[in-house]
Amino acid sequence: MGRRRRLPRPGRRDLLVLVELEMRRADPANNTVKLLRSLETGGLDEDDTVVVCQAFSAYYDLATGGVSTKRENAAFVGRLAADAFDRVTFHAVEFPVEPPKRGASWPDAWPDALATTVDAVIEATP
């Protein structure tokens, strides 16, 4: 799940919110598997509540509608983690912009896409 940074939240030391942004990874389920391992080995025991938001870019959307099996598999593993640990919730959220390919510029809509993702993370947080 990449870099971990604790942000101060007045009056709350028992809540950890993890956000994983999937841009165009070949196997996004791997990140949710890493989370499961951390939970199982006690790596996140200091937190009473763990909220996991895995944000998927439009790269994982299908032209015919719906989402790719890569995204479905990652969300499935995340839901398994939430089912296995009472203190964990998992949310697959949208980062509704197509990420640029190497060397290309970000589309003009990326700030609005980021705002959509941040709103979804805030909504998922107790």
Side-chain angles (χ1 to χ4, degrees):
M1 288 251 147
R3 291 176 290 175
R4 206 173 146 187
R5 183 171 171 223
R6 290 207 179 269
L7 298 176
R9 185 169 167 166
R12 294 292 304 259
R13 294 186 183 270
D14 60 343
L15 175 68
L16 175 65
V17 179
L18 299 171
V19 179
E20 178 70 33
L21 178 57
E22 302 293 355
M23 300 301 282
R24 55 174 69 245
R25 185 180 170 100
D27 184 16
N30 192 48
N31 287 328
T32 45
V33 169
K34 288 181 200 175
L35 170 66
L36 278 169
R37 274 195 248 129
S38 292
L39 288 165
E40 184 180 48
T41 61
L44 302 175
D45 280 354
E46 65 190 72
D47 304 294
D48 293 337
T49 303
V50 178
V51 177
V52 179
C53 294
Q54 194 166 12
F56 294 91
S57 73
Y59 170 79
Y60 296 97
D61 295 344
L62 298 176
T64 56
V67 297
S68 72
T69 56
K70 293 176 185 181
R71 176 180 167 162
E72 287 177 357
N73 290 344
F76 174 76
V77 172
R79 289 190 305 272
L80 286 177
D83 289 346
F85 299 92
D86 290 337
R87 62 196 182 87
V88 175
T89 61
F90 175 84
H91 308 271
V93 299
E94 305 290 329
F95 179 59
V97 69
E98 183 75 31
K101 293 184 179 172
R102 182 172 293 197
S105 297
W106 278 91
D108 292 339
W110 82 264
D112 292 335
L114 181 59
T116 298
T117 303
V118 169
D119 288 346
V121 172
I122 291 168
E123 186 174 314
T125 305

